[in-house]
C-alpha cells in the first residue's frame, strides 16, 4: 500500500536490523524507527510502536532473528521467546509466531541459526502479505457485485482492518485498496472507533495516504447513514470467528451489523482462515471480552495548535469508566466471510468447507 | 437536583439580574455567572454558557425582562426579541419563549412592563420545572415496574436528558433522580455521546454531583452490555416526536434502540408533550437532520495534567469529518413515551390521546 505515492510496508529489513513505522505517532506524524536488538524489538511491541495481531507476530519473529544474530545459543533462544512472549500477554498471534520460530530453530545447529531465523521471520512476513493480498483480491471482486445506488461505491468500516496492523494490504481495507488500484471509485465512511480511535487515526490516515476518498464519522452515525441509503456495504475485520460464524471484533461492530440488517445493507467480514476458532460455537456465550484500562476512554491524545502532542482528560474528575474492547456479532447478522480462499457464508457448514 | 448536597437550578434570579451555571466549563469546573443585561444574556446563549432547548428559552425570557427593566419602550422590546432570536437561529424553544414574552408584554402599559416581564419569565421557568417534575414522577413509577435481574436497577442512557438542559430535573434523568430520592438503588451506564460528549461531560457530571452511581462507556459498548443482560432498561430523551411515535434524538439513539429490541430490553423515551410535532408522521423521511461543524469530531477539549483546559485535534491533518447531529428511531423500536401526563405507547392512537 502507498503513502503519498511510495510503496510502504509496516516492517522491513534494513542494515543489521528492521525498520518499522512508529504507530504511536500516527496520525499526527509519519516517523520510522530502526530496531537493532531483541531488547529494542520487545520495547517497540510493549510500547505499541507496532500493533495489530499479524504485525506483532512478524515483529516478534524478527526479534528472535536479531537475538540469534548476536548469540544463537539455546539459552538466548529460550530467553528471546520468553521476553517477547511477555510483551503483550494476550496476543495469540505473538505466541503463535514465537512457537513457529522456536520449532524452526530448535533442531538447527547453532552456527546456522542466525540465517534460518532471518529466513523464517521473512517467510512469516511474506506469508502474511500473501494472505492479505488474496483476501483483498476476493474482497475487491465481491465489491464489484454489490448493488450500489450511485457511481461511487459507498462503504462503511469500523476500527482499523488495514495494512498498519499487518505487513501490507490489511484485511477489510485490502479489498478497498485493490478495488481502487483497479480504477474503481469508492467513498469510505470511517467510524471513529472509540475509545482508542483506531478509525479516526489509523484508518483515516491509511486511506488518505493511499488516496482513497473517505470521511470520518462518530460511531453513532452509521445507523443514520444506512437509514438514508448512504451505505452500499459494510466491510469490517475480525479478531476471532466461531465455527458457526459469530464474529468477535472491535466493540461497536455488533451495533453496525444490527443497523445493516434493519436497512438491508450487506455486512461482510474480511479475515484470514486462521481467525476461525473451531473450538468455539456460540460467540456471545463463549468468547470472553477483554476489559481494558478506562484511561483509554477518559483521556484523549491529539495535536495542540502548535503541532505538539498532548493528552487531555475528558471525564469529570473521579468519574468511573468501563472499557470493553470487543463485542460479538451473531452469525445471523453477517452476510459472509471474505478469506484468502474466497467467500464463505457465516454458517457452520460454510466454515466447515473453509477449514477442510 | 443537588450538587454535593445543595439544591441547584441552572438559572435563578439574583440581585438585578440572573445567575447561571457556566456550562462551557463542565465537567471540569462548576462556576456561576451573573447576567445583568440583555447583551450579557444574548452573549451567554451564543457562547453556549447555557444550552439545552428549555433552558435557552427560559434564559431568553429573562433576557427580555432585563431589557424591560432598563427601558420598557416598544422599540427596546422589539430589539430584545430580535437580538435574542438571532443567538441560536435553529432553536425552536427560543423563538417560542420570545413569542410568549412579546405576546404577554405587547398589550401592557410601558410603566408596568418590567414587572410583567419578570413575572412571565419566572412563570416560564416554573412551568418547565413542573413539567419535568411530572415526567420524572411518571418515569420513576415506571422504573418500579421494569423487570430487573439484580437488586440494583441497571439503566442505559444516551446524551444528556438531565437538569442541565432544563431549569431543574430534566426529562429522562428526572425519572432517575426521583427513583433515587425515593431510596431505590440504580446504576446508570452513560454513553459518552460523541462527538460533543454530552454524556461523558454533562450526564456523568450531573449524576455524580447528585450521588447517582454511574459508569461512562463508549457509544460502541451498549450492544455488548445488552447481549450480556447488563441493562434492564434504556431511558433517553427526545428532541422531536412524530405523531406516530418516531423519535428524533441525539445521533446514536437508533443504534441503541436496535440493540434493545434484539435483546428484549425495554426502550423508553422521556419527553414533554410539546416535543410531539403532530404535523410529522414518518420521522426518517420527514425530519431533516442538522449537519454540524466537523470540528466537533476533529477536536476534543479536556484538562491537561495541570488542570488547565486545552483543545487537541485528533484526526489526521486535512481529514474530512461529517457530523450529523441527530437520528430517528422508528416507533416500532420504542416501548413507549414518558410525558408529564403519564405513559403513552409510541403509536398514532397513543399519541392522539396524549395530544387531545
Amino acid at each position: 500500500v502507498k503513502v503519498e505515492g511510495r510503496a510502504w510496508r509496516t516492517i522491513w529489513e534494513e542494515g543489521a536490523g528492521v525498520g518499522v513505522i512508529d504507530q504511536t505517532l500516527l496520525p499526527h506524524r509519519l516517523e520510522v524507527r530502526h530496531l537493532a536488538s531483541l531488547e529494542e524489538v520487545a520495547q517497540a511491541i510493549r510500547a505499541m510502536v507496532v500493533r495489530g495481531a499479524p504485525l506483532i507476530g512478524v515483529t516478534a519473529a524478527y526479534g528472535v532473528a536479531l537475538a540469534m544474530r548476536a548469540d544463537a545459543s539455546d539459552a538466548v533462544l529460550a530467553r528471546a521467546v520468553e521476553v517477547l512472549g511477555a510483551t503483550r500477554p494476550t496476543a495469540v498471534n505473538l505466541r503463535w509466531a514465537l512457537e513457529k520460530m522456536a520449532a524452526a530453530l530448535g533442531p538447527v545447529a547453532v552456527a546456522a541459526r542466525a540465517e534460518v531465523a532471518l529466513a523464517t521471520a521473512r517467510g512469516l512476513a511474506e506469508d502474511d502479505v500473501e494472505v492479505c493480498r488474496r483476501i483483498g483480491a476476493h474482497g475487491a471482486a465481491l465489491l464489484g457485485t454489490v448493488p450500489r445506488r450511485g457511481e461511487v461505491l459507498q462503504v462503511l468500516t469500523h476500527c482499523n482492518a488495514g495494512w498498519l496492523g499487518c505487513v501490507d494490504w490489511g484485511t477489510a481495507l485490502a479489498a478497498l485498496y485493490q478495488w481502487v488500484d483497479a480504477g474503481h471509485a469508492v467513498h469510505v465512511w470511517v467510524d471513529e472507533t472509540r475509545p482508542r480511535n483506531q478509525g479516526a487515526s489509523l484508518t483515516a490516515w491509511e486511506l488518505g495516504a493511499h488516496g482513497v476518498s473517505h470521511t470520518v464519522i462518530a460511531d453513532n452515525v452509521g445507523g443514520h447513514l444506512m437509514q438514508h441509503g448512504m451505505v452500499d456495504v459494510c466491510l469490517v475485520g475480525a479478531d476471532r470467528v466461531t465455527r458457526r460464524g459469530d464474529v468477535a471484533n472491535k466493540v461497536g461492530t455488533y451495533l453496525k451489523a444490527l443497523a445493516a440488517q434493519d436497512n438491508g445493507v450487506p455486512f461482510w467480514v474480511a479475515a484470514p482462515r486462521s481467525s476461525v476458532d473451531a473450538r468455539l460455537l456460540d460467540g456471545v456465550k463463549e468468547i470472553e471480552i477483554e476489559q481494558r484500562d478506562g484511561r483509554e476512554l477518559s483521556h484523549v491524545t491529539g495535536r495542540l495548535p502548535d503541532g505538539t502532542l498532548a493528552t487531555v482528560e475528558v471525564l469529570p474528575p473521579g468519574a468511573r469508566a468501563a472499557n470493553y474492547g470487543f463485542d460479538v456479532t451473531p452469525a445471523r447478522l453477517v452476510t459472509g466471510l471474505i478469506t484468502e480462499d474466497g467467500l464463505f457464508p457465516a454458517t457452520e457448514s460454510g466454515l466447515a468447507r473453509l477449514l477442510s
Side-chain angles (χ1 to χ4, degrees), chain A residues 89-110:
Chain A
T90 60
V92 175
N93 265 60
L94 173 64
R95 254 164 304 156
W96 174 86
L98 291 171
E99 281 164 20
K100 280 264 191 189
M101 293 298 287
L105 297 176
V108 171
V110 168

Side-chain angles (χ1 to χ4, degrees), chain A residues 1-4 6-10 12 21-23 25-32 51 159-160 162-165 173 177 190-191 197-212 214-216 303:
Chain A
V1 179
K2 288 180 176 163
V3 177
E4 312 299 344
R6 186 192 136 196
W8 278 76
R9 288 183 170 186
T10 53
W12 57 92
I21 293 174
D22 183 349
Q23 299 198 23
L25 298 177
L26 292 178
H28 310 294
R29 285 199 295 278
L30 174 60
E31 285 186 16
V32 302
R51 28 70 55 197
C159 199
N160 178 251
W163 67 277
L164 287 172
L173 298 192
Y177 292 127
V190 179
D191 278 355
N197 291 21
Q198 295 98 329
S201 52
L202 304 177
T203 299
W205 183 86
E206 275 195 21
L207 294 176
H210 195 77
V212 180
H214 65 282
T215 304
V216 181
R303 299 186 299 285

Side-chain angles (χ1 to χ4, degrees), chain A residues 2 26 34 44 59 97 116 124 160 197 239-240 244 249 253 259 268 290 302 305 333 350:
Chain A
K2 288 180 176 163
L26 292 178
H34 182 76
T59 307
V116 172
L124 292 180
N160 178 251
N197 291 21
D239 287 87
R240 227 159 150 197
R244 76 172 181 200
N249 190 45
T253 303
W268 284 91
E290 176 192 357
L333 303 176

Side-chain angles (χ1 to χ4, degrees), chain A residues 170-190:
Chain A
T171 53
L173 298 192
L176 295 175
Y177 292 127
Q178 295 189 29
W179 172 258
V180 166
D181 289 353
H184 302 296
V186 72
H187 170 260
V188 187
W189 298 102
V190 179

Side-chain angles (χ1 to χ4, degrees), chain A residues 53-347:
Chain A
L55 175 56
I56 288 173
V58 168
T59 307
Y62 275 114
V64 173
L66 292 180
M68 293 297 93
R69 180 171 291 173
D71 177 346
S73 66
D74 284 352
V76 168
L77 176 57
R79 188 175 154 268
V81 169
E82 190 191 322
V83 167
L84 290 163
T87 51
R88 295 284 300 274
T90 60
V92 175
N93 265 60
L94 173 64
R95 254 164 304 156
W96 174 86
L98 291 171
E99 281 164 20
K100 280 264 191 189
M101 293 298 287
L105 297 176
V108 171
V110 168
R113 271 185 185 161
E115 198 178 329
V116 172
L118 188 62
T120 308
R122 191 181 294 154
L124 292 180
E126 295 301 332
D127 285 352
D128 186 70
V129 173
E130 179 60 11
V131 164
C132 289
R133 190 195 61 74
R134 286 165 59 191
I135 291 173
H138 291 297
L142 167 71
L143 293 179
T145 71
V146 167
R148 58 180 189 269
R149 287 161 185 82
E151 268 307 293
V152 176
L153 181 71
Q154 298 284 343
V155 178
L156 184 142
T157 192
H158 191 69
C159 199
N160 178 251
W163 67 277
L164 287 172
C166 304
V167 178
D168 200 352
W169 293 117
T171 53
L173 298 192
L176 295 175
Y177 292 127
Q178 295 189 29
W179 172 258
V180 166
D181 289 353
H184 302 296
V186 72
H187 170 260
V188 187
W189 298 102
V190 179
D191 278 355
E192 177 181 34
T193 318
R194 292 283 293 151
R196 286 180 59 82
N197 291 21
Q198 295 98 329
S201 52
L202 304 177
T203 299
W205 183 86
E206 275 195 21
L207 294 176
H210 195 77
V212 180
S213 168
H214 65 282
T215 304
V216 181
I217 51 174
D219 300 300
N220 286 320
V221 173
H224 169 73
L225 297 179
M226 290 189 238
Q227 278 181 323
H228 289 270
M230 296 163 80
V231 178
D232 295 316
V233 58
C234 295
L235 191 55
V236 301
D239 287 87
R240 227 159 150 197
V241 179
T242 73
R243 71 173 182 273
R244 76 172 181 200
D246 293 347
V247 172
N249 190 45
K250 185 60 52 187
V251 72
T253 303
Y254 166 51
L255 293 170
K256 295 311 151 54
L258 285 168
Q261 189 195 48
D262 201 44
N263 295 284
V265 174
F267 191 92
W268 284 91
V269 174
R273 193 176 48 210
S274 59
S275 309
V276 181
D277 188 337
R279 297 167 306 172
L280 302 174
L281 180 71
D282 182 330
V284 173
K285 282 202 186 128
E286 297 173 37
I287 298 179
E288 206 192 332
I289 300 298
E290 176 192 357
Q291 279 213 59
R292 301 177 54 87
D293 190 342
R295 195 180 155 92
E296 293 185 348
L297 193 69
S298 62
H299 290 69
V300 174
T301 298
R303 299 186 299 285
L304 289 168
D306 68 2
T308 59
L309 299 188
T311 299
V312 295
E313 185 170 4
V314 294
L315 295 192
R320 184 167 53 188
N323 183 6
Y324 296 88
F326 303 90
D327 65 18
V328 173
T329 300
R332 65 186 149 86
L333 303 176
V334 177
T335 308
L337 296 179
I338 307 166
T339 77
E340 64 270 41
D341 294 325
L343 310 180
F344 292 85
T347 61

